[in-house]
Amino acid sequence: MPNRRPMLLVCCLASGAILMQGCSYDANDFTGRWEGQYVGVNSLGGIGVDPPGDTGSIQTLDLVADPAGRLTGSIAWREDSGHDHEMQVVSGDSEDLIGLADFADGSFVLVETMESGTLVGRIVSGGRVELLRTQPGTHPVVTASTLERIDR
């Protein structure tokens, strides 16, 4: 009976290589527009979706990635009533962003260019983005969202 161990090893390595290829990302995966509801809290109380099912609290993430994983873009929010960074009542606001993407696992980190906000996210199944945002300071903010890709 022939020794099948070498053939089994080759098959396992080939299968692993094929599976790993499905887990890699490129700049195109991080370039686009995503949108969805968010929930959060700021120094004034709860923000975003409240109660669940509310459709008036929306975040929009726009990103452009280069081949090295550098990201530029913006994040915007809109809802019936909120506050901007100067505590003025507004129905929406936006922030410019810069950051880096990890093409190996689909994760990314962004910072706001004019404020102290940090966003940590990752691409999940269906091209959706899970996103956590924190902003420390005198008017702290924390939000969480799962955003659907809307540009394809």
Side-chain angles (χ1 to χ4, degrees), residues 99-124:
L100 292 172
D102 184 334
F103 291 159
D105 68 4
S107 65
F108 58 93
V109 177
L110 302 161
V111 294
E112 297 175 355
T113 61
M114 299 300 286
E115 293 186 39
S116 59
T118 300
L119 298 91
V120 177
R122 67 184 178 123
I123 297 174
V124 296

Side-chain angles (χ1 to χ4, degrees), residues 19 31 70 72 79:
L19 288 174
T31 298
R70 290 180 286 260
T72 58
E79 62 179 58

Side-chain angles (χ1 to χ4, degrees), residues 31-118:
T31 298
R33 174 175 277 191
W34 295 263
E35 189 171 89
Q37 296 179 339
Y38 66 95
V39 64
V41 63
N42 66 17
S43 57
L44 301 175
I47 58 174
V49 179
D50 189 20
D54 171 22
T55 58
S57 303
I58 302 294
Q59 270 186 337
T60 303
L61 177 66
D62 286 293
L63 291 177
V64 175
D66 74 7
R70 290 180 286 260
L71 300 169
T72 58
S74 66
I75 187 148
W77 62 266
R78 65 182 187 273
E79 62 179 58
D80 294 336
S81 178
H83 295 83
D84 65 10
H85 64 280
E86 296 173 346
M87 298 308 295
Q88 301 297 312
V89 175
V90 295
S91 60
D93 201 3
S94 67
E95 301 286 344
D96 290 334
L97 305 168
I98 58 171
L100 292 172
D102 184 334
F103 291 159
D105 68 4
S107 65
F108 58 93
V109 177
L110 302 161
V111 294
E112 297 175 355
T113 61
M114 299 300 286
E115 293 186 39
S116 59
T118 300

Side-chain angles (χ1 to χ4, degrees), residues 7-43:
M7 182 57 109
L8 181 60
L9 179 61
V10 168
C11 288
C12 288
L13 290 174
S15 297
I18 290 169
L19 288 174
M20 290 304 290
Q21 286 177 352
C23 295
S24 63
Y25 299 86
D26 63 28
N28 291 326
D29 296 311
F30 291 89
T31 298
R33 174 175 277 191
W34 295 263
E35 189 171 89
Q37 296 179 339
Y38 66 95
V39 64
V41 63
N42 66 17
S43 57

